[in-house]
Amino acid sequence: MAMSTSASRVSLSFECRTDANFSGGIPRIDGARFSSKLGGASGKGTFGMSSLILRFPPNFVRQLSNKARRNCSNIGVAQIVAASWSNNQPPSSAAGAKAVDAAASSAVSTPFVVGEDVVDNNDMDIGSCNGSPFVQFQALESFHKPSFLKSDDSVAIHAGERLGRGIVTDAITTPVVNTSAYFFKKTAELIDFKEKRHVSFEYGRYGNPTTVVAEEKISALEGAESTLILASGMCASTVMMLALVPAGGHIVTTTDCYRKTRIFIETFLPKMGITATVLDPADYAGLEAALDNHKVSLYFTESPTNPFLRCVDIELVSKMCHAKGAIVCIDGTFATPLNQKALALGADIVLHSATKYIGGHNDVLAGCISGTTEIISQVRNLHHVLGGALNPNAAYLIIRGMKTLHLRIKQQNSTAQRMAEILEAHPKVKHVYYPGLKSHPEHDTAKKQMIGFGGVVSFEVDGDITTTIKFVDALKIPYIAPSFGGCESIVDQPAIMSYWDLSQAERAKYGIMDNLVRFSFGVEDFEDLKADVLQALEAI
């Protein structure tokens, strides 16, 4: 290997050796803490590298810029050696070789570079495992929202990664850890794990380093202690209900909601003796009566709802439910963590279909729930049994998508608000449902608890199902498809897309009329979308 300097090209030789007393391992996570051993003189410890130890030439680090050393701060033993060489007198060649061995055996007393700061290991948590000292890395939860990130825009990009990622690498993007299981070096380590002296994911269904980064990023945006990410939004909803509502329990939910959620509540939960009260989102008197007449375990609703974008007063329902010991879960998929902070408003859990805005590119399925560690742990325990784990490749797409979340949401909020106003004034549109409009029944509630009103607008065309089909088919930009929240605009008629198996009269019971359109605005140029919608309306 060679390195260029301003004066000349200097050849640097690297010697690799296998040390039987130094075996590598990835820091393991256990809830909120990472642990990685730093071996003592006995050489029983590990520090997140392979069993090969690199002998760096003594002048290697001196030829790196400070910036390069800081950017290489997560490479394991190398970072400790680098800091030692850069912070002390340059050692001789022989001393340089000894420095590597010394770093592996006495690193707990050596400062090393992390990001822009120098951290002294003496200030870290020191514990023991089988007599060997080890470092307890700070909880990822302490990195939810670093002090230098003031805006959600920045948090969406860096949370869970910058200064807080448990994967040992200097890569900017989080690596995909494709593994189905995690090994133990010796049976003694396995026993330590079983007796909670050693931390590990153990098996792919119980966790993955890439998935943890996605969870931490969502926790940071929601202001949550813990987040659990699952294979889909419906997986998150159903596992949450099964975990938190006991057999014979009672749920309160609202009339307007995603149809598959309603099917689960009405069809599957009764098999376990779980009953439900279904209320209009604004029926707070009905909620009070349900809390008085039933032992309610869970209040669950979307806000805004699907497809009419109704909004519940989260602060009010949280106070009412908590007074009776009921847990409050808000599905904030339509709102996103940027437009609404359900936990800050008093909810115990916020749920998202991360397939939608959080992923944002119509290319991944995922769901998540966020809340206190106590509550999320209950759901996590059942999730480990049921097995709806998110693939780490999907977790990577969620992480990737969240880095542009704030840019997409700003564009979609703006486009939807402007289009809702245009549609409401158009003679061929009968009614518009959008919480940003003064005509919306919960406009004042939405203004109180939302920053923006989202990128979905539902409206009724002035005509029958045939007229509405003609309008949809005349559109050139949006895809006719289910889902919403992606970069591409999507349009559908709920009567056909979601309720076609029901008769017209049965659909009407849920308010789903044949002329209803749900339009999810993407990030296309506003003028292009406006022109497309107007020409399609002129075609009917």
Side-chain angles (χ1 to χ4, degrees), residues 28 180-184 190 193-194 200-204 206-207:
R28 309 296 190 185
S180 60
Y182 304 83
F183 71 89
F184 299 89
L190 172 59
F193 165 71
K194 293 298 182 181
S200 171
F201 288 118
E202 183 188 13
Y203 187 58
Y206 307 143

PDB file of all heavy atoms in Angstrom, residues 28 180-184 190 193-194 200-204 206-207:
ATOM      1  N   ARG A  28     -22.439  -5.930  20.859  1.00  0.00           N
ATOM      2  CA  ARG A  28     -23.801  -6.461  20.894  1.00  0.00           C
ATOM      3  C   ARG A  28     -24.717  -5.472  21.584  1.00  0.00           C
ATOM      4  O   ARG A  28     -24.313  -4.742  22.482  1.00  0.00           O
ATOM      5  CB  ARG A  28     -23.835  -7.778  21.669  1.00  0.00           C
ATOM      6  CG  ARG A  28     -22.797  -8.796  21.191  1.00  0.00           C
ATOM      7  CD  ARG A  28     -23.058  -9.231  19.769  1.00  0.00           C
ATOM      8  NE  ARG A  28     -22.230 -10.359  19.414  1.00  0.00           N
ATOM      9  CZ  ARG A  28     -22.172 -10.890  18.218  1.00  0.00           C
ATOM     10  NH1 ARG A  28     -22.895 -10.408  17.258  1.00  0.00           N
ATOM     11  NH2 ARG A  28     -21.386 -11.907  17.972  1.00  0.00           N
ATOM     12  N   SER A 180     -28.552 -14.316   9.753  1.00  0.00           N
ATOM     13  CA  SER A 180     -29.736 -14.896  10.393  1.00  0.00           C
ATOM     14  C   SER A 180     -29.467 -15.304  11.836  1.00  0.00           C
ATOM     15  O   SER A 180     -30.394 -15.623  12.568  1.00  0.00           O
ATOM     16  CB  SER A 180     -30.229 -16.117   9.602  1.00  0.00           C
ATOM     17  OG  SER A 180     -29.204 -17.100   9.542  1.00  0.00           O
ATOM     18  N   ALA A 181     -28.185 -15.304  12.232  1.00  0.00           N
ATOM     19  CA  ALA A 181     -27.849 -15.703  13.594  1.00  0.00           C
ATOM     20  C   ALA A 181     -26.532 -15.061  13.996  1.00  0.00           C
ATOM     21  O   ALA A 181     -25.784 -14.547  13.168  1.00  0.00           O
ATOM     22  CB  ALA A 181     -27.756 -17.228  13.704  1.00  0.00           C
ATOM     23  N   TYR A 182     -26.239 -15.090  15.287  1.00  0.00           N
ATOM     24  CA  TYR A 182     -25.035 -14.499  15.848  1.00  0.00           C
ATOM     25  C   TYR A 182     -24.333 -15.566  16.688  1.00  0.00           C
ATOM     26  O   TYR A 182     -24.974 -16.271  17.477  1.00  0.00           O
ATOM     27  CB  TYR A 182     -25.395 -13.283  16.714  1.00  0.00           C
ATOM     28  CG  TYR A 182     -26.199 -12.258  15.937  1.00  0.00           C
ATOM     29  CD1 TYR A 182     -27.581 -12.398  15.785  1.00  0.00           C
ATOM     30  CD2 TYR A 182     -25.584 -11.180  15.326  1.00  0.00           C
ATOM     31  CE1 TYR A 182     -28.321 -11.488  15.058  1.00  0.00           C
ATOM     32  CE2 TYR A 182     -26.307 -10.251  14.589  1.00  0.00           C
ATOM     33  CZ  TYR A 182     -27.685 -10.415  14.458  1.00  0.00           C
ATOM     34  OH  TYR A 182     -28.420  -9.513  13.720  1.00  0.00           O
ATOM     35  N   PHE A 183     -23.000 -15.676  16.521  1.00  0.00           N
ATOM     36  CA  PHE A 183     -22.303 -16.780  17.166  1.00  0.00           C
ATOM     37  C   PHE A 183     -21.717 -16.382  18.518  1.00  0.00           C
ATOM     38  O   PHE A 183     -21.543 -15.200  18.822  1.00  0.00           O
ATOM     39  CB  PHE A 183     -21.199 -17.330  16.265  1.00  0.00           C
ATOM     40  CG  PHE A 183     -20.005 -16.413  16.105  1.00  0.00           C
ATOM     41  CD1 PHE A 183     -18.942 -16.475  16.988  1.00  0.00           C
ATOM     42  CD2 PHE A 183     -19.949 -15.511  15.058  1.00  0.00           C
ATOM     43  CE1 PHE A 183     -17.851 -15.635  16.844  1.00  0.00           C
ATOM     44  CE2 PHE A 183     -18.861 -14.668  14.898  1.00  0.00           C
ATOM     45  CZ  PHE A 183     -17.804 -14.729  15.802  1.00  0.00           C
ATOM     46  N   PHE A 184     -21.407 -17.389  19.318  1.00  0.00           N
ATOM     47  CA  PHE A 184     -20.737 -17.230  20.599  1.00  0.00           C
ATOM     48  C   PHE A 184     -19.377 -17.905  20.492  1.00  0.00           C
ATOM     49  O   PHE A 184     -19.259 -19.009  19.959  1.00  0.00           O
ATOM     50  CB  PHE A 184     -21.565 -17.863  21.724  1.00  0.00           C
ATOM     51  CG  PHE A 184     -22.926 -17.237  21.883  1.00  0.00           C
ATOM     52  CD1 PHE A 184     -24.021 -17.722  21.167  1.00  0.00           C
ATOM     53  CD2 PHE A 184     -23.113 -16.139  22.704  1.00  0.00           C
ATOM     54  CE1 PHE A 184     -25.270 -17.141  21.298  1.00  0.00           C
ATOM     55  CE2 PHE A 184     -24.357 -15.546  22.833  1.00  0.00           C
ATOM     56  CZ  PHE A 184     -25.441 -16.047  22.131  1.00  0.00           C
ATOM     57  N   LEU A 190     -21.879 -18.156  25.862  1.00  0.00           N
ATOM     58  CA  LEU A 190     -23.300 -18.440  25.703  1.00  0.00           C
ATOM     59  C   LEU A 190     -23.999 -18.466  27.052  1.00  0.00           C
ATOM     60  O   LEU A 190     -25.094 -17.919  27.216  1.00  0.00           O
ATOM     61  CB  LEU A 190     -23.491 -19.779  24.975  1.00  0.00           C
ATOM     62  CG  LEU A 190     -24.918 -20.322  24.900  1.00  0.00           C
ATOM     63  CD1 LEU A 190     -25.845 -19.339  24.196  1.00  0.00           C
ATOM     64  CD2 LEU A 190     -24.933 -21.677  24.190  1.00  0.00           C
ATOM     65  N   PHE A 193     -24.429 -15.073  28.282  1.00  0.00           N
ATOM     66  CA  PHE A 193     -25.565 -14.436  27.607  1.00  0.00           C
ATOM     67  C   PHE A 193     -26.885 -14.873  28.243  1.00  0.00           C
ATOM     68  O   PHE A 193     -27.767 -14.042  28.515  1.00  0.00           O
ATOM     69  CB  PHE A 193     -25.551 -14.802  26.116  1.00  0.00           C
ATOM     70  CG  PHE A 193     -26.830 -14.501  25.400  1.00  0.00           C
ATOM     71  CD1 PHE A 193     -27.221 -13.198  25.144  1.00  0.00           C
ATOM     72  CD2 PHE A 193     -27.677 -15.537  24.991  1.00  0.00           C
ATOM     73  CE1 PHE A 193     -28.413 -12.916  24.481  1.00  0.00           C
ATOM     74  CE2 PHE A 193     -28.867 -15.265  24.334  1.00  0.00           C
ATOM     75  CZ  PHE A 193     -29.235 -13.950  24.083  1.00  0.00           C
ATOM     76  N   LYS A 194     -27.029 -16.154  28.480  1.00  0.00           N
ATOM     77  CA  LYS A 194     -28.267 -16.648  29.074  1.00  0.00           C
ATOM     78  C   LYS A 194     -28.489 -16.088  30.470  1.00  0.00           C
ATOM     79  O   LYS A 194     -29.632 -15.909  30.906  1.00  0.00           O
ATOM     80  CB  LYS A 194     -28.246 -18.185  29.125  1.00  0.00           C
ATOM     81  CG  LYS A 194     -28.272 -18.859  27.754  1.00  0.00           C
ATOM     82  CD  LYS A 194     -29.543 -18.539  26.985  1.00  0.00           C
ATOM     83  CE  LYS A 194     -29.587 -19.258  25.635  1.00  0.00           C
ATOM     84  NZ  LYS A 194     -30.821 -18.927  24.875  1.00  0.00           N
ATOM     85  N   SER A 200     -26.187  -9.966  23.243  1.00  0.00           N
ATOM     86  CA  SER A 200     -26.159 -10.447  21.870  1.00  0.00           C
ATOM     87  C   SER A 200     -27.574 -10.415  21.313  1.00  0.00           C
ATOM     88  O   SER A 200     -28.546 -10.475  22.072  1.00  0.00           O
ATOM     89  CB  SER A 200     -25.622 -11.882  21.817  1.00  0.00           C
ATOM     90  OG  SER A 200     -25.787 -12.444  20.527  1.00  0.00           O
ATOM     91  N   PHE A 201     -27.706 -10.304  19.988  1.00  0.00           N
ATOM     92  CA  PHE A 201     -29.016 -10.487  19.372  1.00  0.00           C
ATOM     93  C   PHE A 201     -29.417 -11.966  19.385  1.00  0.00           C
ATOM     94  O   PHE A 201     -30.587 -12.288  19.361  1.00  0.00           O
ATOM     95  CB  PHE A 201     -28.990 -10.007  17.919  1.00  0.00           C
ATOM     96  CG  PHE A 201     -28.916  -8.517  17.764  1.00  0.00           C
ATOM     97  CD1 PHE A 201     -27.833  -7.927  17.144  1.00  0.00           C
ATOM     98  CD2 PHE A 201     -29.939  -7.709  18.228  1.00  0.00           C
ATOM     99  CE1 PHE A 201     -27.766  -6.559  16.979  1.00  0.00           C
ATOM    100  CE2 PHE A 201     -29.886  -6.338  18.075  1.00  0.00           C
ATOM    101  CZ  PHE A 201     -28.796  -5.753  17.455  1.00  0.00           C
ATOM    102  N   GLU A 202     -28.458 -12.848  19.350  1.00  0.00           N
ATOM    103  CA  GLU A 202     -28.599 -14.301  19.343  1.00  0.00           C
ATOM    104  C   GLU A 202     -29.141 -14.821  18.015  1.00  0.00           C
ATOM    105  O   GLU A 202     -28.537 -15.672  17.380  1.00  0.00           O
ATOM    106  CB  GLU A 202     -29.484 -14.798  20.501  1.00  0.00           C
ATOM    107  CG  GLU A 202     -29.590 -16.316  20.551  1.00  0.00           C
ATOM    108  CD  GLU A 202     -30.600 -16.815  21.570  1.00  0.00           C
ATOM    109  OE1 GLU A 202     -31.404 -16.006  22.070  1.00  0.00           O
ATOM    110  OE2 GLU A 202     -30.587 -18.028  21.847  1.00  0.00           O
ATOM    111  N   TYR A 203     -30.301 -14.310  17.596  1.00  0.00           N
ATOM    112  CA  TYR A 203     -30.966 -14.837  16.407  1.00  0.00           C
ATOM    113  C   TYR A 203     -31.592 -13.682  15.638  1.00  0.00           C
ATOM    114  O   TYR A 203     -32.021 -12.685  16.233  1.00  0.00           O
ATOM    115  CB  TYR A 203     -32.022 -15.859  16.830  1.00  0.00           C
ATOM    116  CG  TYR A 203     -32.677 -16.602  15.690  1.00  0.00           C
ATOM    117  CD1 TYR A 203     -31.921 -17.347  14.783  1.00  0.00           C
ATOM    118  CD2 TYR A 203     -34.058 -16.558  15.511  1.00  0.00           C
ATOM    119  CE1 TYR A 203     -32.524 -18.021  13.733  1.00  0.00           C
ATOM    120  CE2 TYR A 203     -34.664 -17.235  14.464  1.00  0.00           C
ATOM    121  CZ  TYR A 203     -33.899 -17.963  13.575  1.00  0.00           C
ATOM    122  OH  TYR A 203     -34.487 -18.636  12.540  1.00  0.00           O
ATOM    123  N   GLY A 204     -31.648 -13.822  14.313  1.00  0.00           N
ATOM    124  CA  GLY A 204     -32.105 -12.730  13.470  1.00  0.00           C
ATOM    125  C   GLY A 204     -33.499 -12.222  13.768  1.00  0.00           C
ATOM    126  O   GLY A 204     -33.808 -11.062  13.493  1.00  0.00           O
ATOM    127  N   TYR A 206     -34.647 -11.664  16.603  1.00  0.00           N
ATOM    128  CA  TYR A 206     -34.609 -10.838  17.811  1.00  0.00           C
ATOM    129  C   TYR A 206     -33.937  -9.489  17.607  1.00  0.00           C
ATOM    130  O   TYR A 206     -33.933  -8.661  18.513  1.00  0.00           O
ATOM    131  CB  TYR A 206     -33.893 -11.582  18.943  1.00  0.00           C
ATOM    132  CG  TYR A 206     -34.449 -12.960  19.220  1.00  0.00           C
ATOM    133  CD1 TYR A 206     -33.621 -14.007  19.574  1.00  0.00           C
ATOM    134  CD2 TYR A 206     -35.818 -13.216  19.107  1.00  0.00           C
ATOM    135  CE1 TYR A 206     -34.129 -15.279  19.824  1.00  0.00           C
ATOM    136  CE2 TYR A 206     -36.338 -14.476  19.343  1.00  0.00           C
ATOM    137  CZ  TYR A 206     -35.488 -15.507  19.698  1.00  0.00           C
ATOM    138  OH  TYR A 206     -35.989 -16.752  19.929  1.00  0.00           O
ATOM    139  N   GLY A 207     -33.365  -9.280  16.441  1.00  0.00           N
ATOM    140  CA  GLY A 207     -32.755  -7.981  16.202  1.00  0.00           C
ATOM    141  C   GLY A 207     -31.641  -8.041  15.180  1.00  0.00           C
ATOM    142  O   GLY A 207     -31.132  -9.115  14.841  1.00  0.00           O
TER     143      GLY A 207
END
